[in-house]
Amino acid sequence: MLTMISTVGLAFLGYLATYANGLRLTQRQARLDRVNAQLNHFYGPLFALMESNSRIYDTFSATYAREDGRDPFDHDIPPTEEELAQWRTWATSVFIPNIRAMRDVVVTRADLLIEEEMPEALLQLCAHVSGYEITAARWAQGDFAEHLSVAHFPGRGVREYTTDRFTRLKSEQARLLGSGSRRSRR
């Protein structure tokens, strides 16, 4: 009788251990799936778009830099008509499509945010895009009185935010993947 109780007890403990391990593995896989989705559909695209937009803006600034090295919009002397025409070309061809794509990621994939509330930098990004859409619509009508968005571009804030979250999620992804791969190498 004692042997049977011991056997049943050991079998029950084995079942509990198997159940707990299975639950842990399921939770870990669910977390890895969430991190992968966040990287693939939100932070990865947002990071890539922000970086490419920053780099192409740096190229614009270097190409059209004044003698003192500053770009025409960061200068005491207003931009010339030629500089403004170049800006409209770059803005409509590259900058506005990039920031629209960033806004679209934020609006359509907000469910993948790390935070519970929308970060201020992302809200400002959405406002900036809307402001540029008004400016671009005026350009299409031949009105060139304005050349910038009515809302400031939160470049530093968005760049810091996306870099921090992307790096954090990549580290977590590596940790979640790394534990399993260490076991398989043994």
Side-chain angles (χ1 to χ4, degrees):
M1 177 83 163
L2 187 57
T3 305
M4 188 165 82
I5 292 173
S6 296
T7 303
V8 170
L10 287 173
F12 183 70
L13 287 175
Y15 167 77
L16 284 179
T18 301
Y19 174 78
N21 188 51
L23 181 61
R24 184 184 63 79
L25 291 175
T26 300
Q27 290 171 334
R28 180 188 183 127
Q29 185 60 49
R31 180 63 191 145
L32 179 59
D33 291 345
R34 170 83 174 161
V35 167
N36 286 338
Q38 288 173 306
L39 286 168
N40 289 332
H41 303 293
F42 192 86
Y43 292 101
L46 197 56
F47 177 78
L49 287 164
M50 186 63 201
E51 283 301 310
S52 69
N53 202 61
S54 293
R55 292 172 190 204
I56 198 67
Y57 184 82
D58 290 345
T59 300
F60 169 83
S61 294
T63 302
Y64 297 99
R66 301 277 179 85
E67 288 182 21
D68 62 2
R70 293 186 293 167
D71 76 55
F73 290 101
D74 184 28
H75 207 276
D76 302 332
I77 301 169
T80 66
E81 286 305 314
E82 173 60 27
E83 289 168 333
L84 292 173
Q86 288 300 324
W87 173 254
R88 289 190 300 271
T89 300
W90 284 65
T92 55
S93 300
V94 180
F95 302 129
I96 294 173
N98 277 352
I99 62 174
R100 278 183 180 145
M102 285 186 241
R103 187 246 348 246
D104 292 348
V105 168
V106 170
V107 171
T108 63
R109 301 313 306 247
D111 61 309
L112 297 172
L113 280 168
I114 291 174
E115 299 80 10
E116 291 182 19
E117 294 184 16
M118 183 69 69
E120 182 60 33
L122 299 183
L123 292 172
Q124 184 63 31
L125 169 68
C126 293
H128 176 74
V129 174
S130 295
Y132 249 122
E133 288 175 334
I134 293 166
T135 302
R138 289 179 180 150
W139 292 345
Q141 296 171 348
D143 178 357
F144 305 121
E146 298 293 328
H147 281 83
L148 302 175
S149 174
V150 295
H152 174 71
F153 181 61
R156 175 176 284 143
V158 173
R159 191 173 204 178
E160 289 173 0
Y161 174 79
T162 57
T163 300
D164 175 73
R165 299 321 187 273
F166 181 80
T167 304
R168 185 186 318 174
L169 286 169
K170 287 299 288 180
S171 293
E172 185 174 359
Q173 181 188 51
R175 182 185 58 75
L176 289 166
L177 289 171
S179 296
S181 61
R182 272 194 303 256
R183 273 191 220 121
S184 63
R185 281 186 262 157
R186 290 182 185 166

